[in-house]
Each structure stands twice: as structure tokens, then as C-alpha cells.
């Protein structure tokens, strides 16, 4: 029995407590727009990364149904949502995934897929690069470091090598090289520390991946590890929880508040429930002020003005230069 | 009671309890030295780690290890910096062997 997981779960997702409550530092946050519908189509994944805030793994069974996918598509069409951001788990393992992408593109949405690279090597997924290219999907892929040791330590043995071969496949179909096919990578710290300056580490990644493996990509996003779920378990087991939370609080930067992703997106879970972000989704921290609770009663006007539910984990998005699904925000 | 306690690093500011103006001057200098300048923050963090190992300060070693990681360095780079500092330290000892040679030559036929 893993005692760390018992401590964190205890029947409910654990939210870390900071010495100074986030609400005292940030005040009340209100949404500014709903430009992005971020849809988590399920927790099934071919990997089980140590820092995963979804607790995704090959044994998870939560998968979004065709009915909920249809409702997301209706919302994109009816409300002209500019961007659909599909995440998981490994979203490609949802049987409705390709239809979801194709139809959203018909409706004119930009489609981002948070693609873990290695899923391309699973049965029936080998043509993913061609599928992505045909639909002009923007790909965002985690590669925590340009060396094998760090990447495998976080994402599992052999992941680095399989990620490199997947990146080569994506380059082969034009990703990262032409204007239309965007391939963005994500750096996140392999441990209990904050990410470096995005521009500096992006230059390293570009130089090293090109010289070592001949790989090119568009942008590198740095993302701060969020102290919840599996990563919080690890922080507790490794004796780093207090120092990490203290570090996040100490690095609080008020100039990140304006650009926080929760202010311009809405997150949908596999059952269709709405949240302010994927982290709140995992913590089951729903909207608080009577705004629509599910995709079935989506109301863009109400959601655009909603109050955002915050707790002390939100320090993860406001530390230093800030953190979002698109990298730094300040 | 240990001579070195991990928690004491966070209490560094308590050095301002007496003669605070001196600590403030130190802190301003220490902070300014680590800002981006002609050298990048990453280069400065690596220099800091090398010096920390050389002066064998456990607080500085922990602080600059984290600083290196948070500036995107990896253990290969950090280890090279630490080896260089250690090699200079070793070389600084070894070059004094010439003093021994000189002393030997002075009294020898």
C-alpha cells in the first residue's frame, strides 16, 4: 500500500494549504472571456507520469461519451468558440477523438491537442501525424528535458526515446517546419523547483534537439508543476511539500493575474461538467456563483462574467513569470 | 543541536537584528550580483555553485543547486562547474609544491 496516496486522497482530492491564503494575495478573480473550450476527454493514458495532475494512467476507465462530445461540438458551433483545446489522459485513446477534431475543424475552430508523443506508437495510432497534419491541428507535447535521464525519470522508462522518434515523424509530415503546422513543446521541472526563463530554455531545447536529433519545433512553453494529485503525493513522499509551497508563495507575482488562463477559458470534464481550469476540474472545485455547471446548459454570457473558484493551489499559476497551458503569462 | 540546521537558511534575514544597515548593504549587493548583466543568470548560478562548493557552505550549495536548476542547467553542466572549481582548488595546492622544490633546492647539494 502506498501511504502517500492514502494521505493525499483520503476520499477527496487534497488541496495544499499555503501560509498565506491565495485569496488574500490575489483578491477575487473574474473571467474576462471564453475564447477557449478546453475539453478533458478522459483519464485513460498509455503513460503514468510522476507529476500528472490528472492521475492519468493505463488503468483509468473514465472516458467522455459520444453524447458529451456532441454537446461540446454544439457549443463550439452555436457560440463560435475560437479555440478547442483537447486534453486527457491521452485524448487520442478516446474512440470519439478523431470525429471530435474533424467536426470542430469544420465549424472553424482552431484545434489544439495535448499529445503525449508516445501514444503514436500504440496500436491503431501510427497514422496520427498524417491525421493531425490533414486537420491542421496545433500540437502541444510534453518533453520535460532534452536529455533522457530527466525525461524518463518523470514520464517513465523509454519515454524519451519513443518521444524522439515521434517528434521525427511529426517533422516528417511538416510539423515545426512550416507556418501552418505548429508543434509546441512543454518544459516542466523534473522535481521540486520552478521553471527557468522560457526564452532561455527554449533556445537550449532548439539547439540541443536540432544538434543531437535533427528535430525542430516552434515554441517551448514552460509550465510550473501544480501541487495537486500525483505530484502532491510525490512532494509529500520526498519531503518537499512545505519548501515547494513556500517557494510558490514567495514567488507570487501579481502581474500574472491579468493573463491567467482561467480568465479566458472554460474547462469541461469527461462527464460534461464545467470548471475554471483543468486543475480545478481534478480538485472538483466547481464554479461558485450560480453559473452553468455543465456543457448541457452552457451560457457564454454568464460564463464570460463568472467569478473564478480559487484555492491555494492557484499559487502554481502565479509564481515567477506565471504558468498556463500556453506557458508563461507575465 | 547541529552546527548546521537546514531551517537556518530561511532565517538568514535575522542577521539584520543587529546593525541592520550592514545587512541591508550586503543584501543589496548580493541581490544585484545575481541579476542578468554581462553574464546571464544561468552563468552566474553556475559560478555561485562552483564557489559554494569551494567554500563548502551547505546553505549556499543547496541554494545555488536550486538556482542552477531553476535557470535550466542540468547535472552534467553543474558537475563540470564543480569539477572546475575543485580542480582550481587542487591546482592551487599543487602549485605550492614548487615552494617545496625551492626549499629543497636551497638546502640540497
Amino acid at each position: 500500500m502506498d501511504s502517500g496516496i492514502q494521505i493525499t486522497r483520503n476520499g477527496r482530492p487534497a488541496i495544499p494549504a499555503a501560509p498565506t491564503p491565495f485569496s488574500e494575495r490575489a483578491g477575487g478573480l473574474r473571467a474576462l472571456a471564453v475564447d477557449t473550450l478546453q475539453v478533458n476527454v478522459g483519464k485513460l493514458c498509455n503513460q503514468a507520469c510522476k507529476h500528472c495532475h490528472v492521475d492519468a494512467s493505463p488503468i483509468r476507465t473514465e472516458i467522455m461519451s459520444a453524447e458529451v462530445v456532441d454537446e461540446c461540438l454544439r457549443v463550439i458551433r452555436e457560440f463560435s468558440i475560437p479555440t478547442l483545446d483537447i486534453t486527457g489522459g491521452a485524448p487520442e485513446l478516446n474512440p470519439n477523438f478523431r470525429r471530435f477534431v474533424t467536426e470542430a475543424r469544420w465549424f472553424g475552430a482552431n484545434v489544439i491537442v495535448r499529445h503525449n508523443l508516445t501514444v503514436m506508437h500504440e496500436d491503431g495510432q501510427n497514422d496520427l501525424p498524417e491525421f493531425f497534419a490533414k486537420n491542421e491541428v496545433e500540437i502541444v507535447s510534453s518533453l520535460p528535458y532534452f536529455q533522457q535521464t530527466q525525461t524518463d525519470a518523470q514520464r517513465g522508462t523509454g519515454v524519451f526515446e519513443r518521444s524522439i522518434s515521434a517528434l521525427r515523424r511529426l517533422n516528417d509530415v511538416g510539423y515545426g517546419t512550416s507556418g501552418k503546422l505548429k508543434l509546441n513543446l512543454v518544459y516542466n521541472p523534473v522535481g521540486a523547483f520552478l521553471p527557468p526563463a522560457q526564452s532561455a530554455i527554449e533556445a537550449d531545447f532548439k539547439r540541443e534537439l536540432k544538434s543531437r536529433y535533427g528535430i525542430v519545433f516552434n515554441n517551448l512553453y514552460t509550465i510550473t508543476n501544480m501541487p495537486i494529485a500525483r505530484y502532491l503525493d510525490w512532494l509529500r513522499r520526498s519531503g518537499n511539500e512545505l519548501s515547494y509551497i513556500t517557494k510558490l508563495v514567495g514567488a507570487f507575482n501579481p502581474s500574472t493575474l491579468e493573463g491567467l488562463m482561467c480568465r479566458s477559458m472554460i474547462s469541461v470534464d469527461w462527464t460534461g461538467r464545467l470548471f475554471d481550469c483543468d486543475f480545478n476540474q481534478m480538485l472538483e472545485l466547481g464554479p461558485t456563483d450560480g453559473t452553468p455547471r455543465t456543457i448541457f446548459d452552457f451560457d457564454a454570457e454568464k460564463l464570460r462574467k463568472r467569478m473564478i473558484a480559487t484555492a491555494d493551489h492557484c499559487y502554481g499559476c502565479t509564481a515567477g513569470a506565471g504558468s498556463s497551458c500556453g506557458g508563461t503569462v507575465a | 543541536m547541529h552546527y548546521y540546521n537546514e531551517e537556518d537558511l530561511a532565517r538568514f534575514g535575522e542577521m539584520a537584528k543587529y546593525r541592520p544597515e550592514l545587512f541591508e548593504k550586503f543584501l543589496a549587493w548580493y541581490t544585484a550580483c545575481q541579476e542578468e548583466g554581462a553574464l546571464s543568470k544561468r552563468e552566474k548560478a553556475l559560478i555561485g555553485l562552483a564557489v559554494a562548493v569551494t567554500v563548502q557552505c551547505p546553505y549556499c550549495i543547496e541554494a545555488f543547486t536550486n538556482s542552477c536548476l531553476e535557470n535550466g542547467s542540468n547535472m552534467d553542466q553543474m558537475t563540470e562547474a564543480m569539477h572546475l572549481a575543485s580542480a582550481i582548488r587542487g591546482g592551487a595546492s599543487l602549485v605550492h609544491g614548487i615552494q617545496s622544490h625551492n626549499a629543497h633546492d636551497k638546502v640540497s647539494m
Side-chain angles (χ1 to χ4, degrees), chain A residues 145 147 150 193-196 200-201 204 247, chain B residues 42 66 69-77:
Chain A
Y145 208 69
Q147 293 181 324
Q150 293 88 334
F193 53 93
L194 298 180
I201 195 73
D204 288 349
K247 192 184 283 268
Chain B
R42 178 184 306 175
N66 277 286
L69 292 170
E70 292 182 348
N71 281 289
S73 292
N74 58 52
M75 283 307 293
D76 289 337
Q77 296 161 337

Side-chain angles (χ1 to χ4, degrees), chain A residues 47-65:
Chain A
Q47 295 182 186
C49 303
K50 276 187 186 164
H51 70 304
C52 183
H53 70 274
V54 180
D55 279 346
S57 80
I59 62 168
R60 299 302 294 256
T61 55
E62 300 92 331
I63 281 285
M64 183 176 279
S65 67

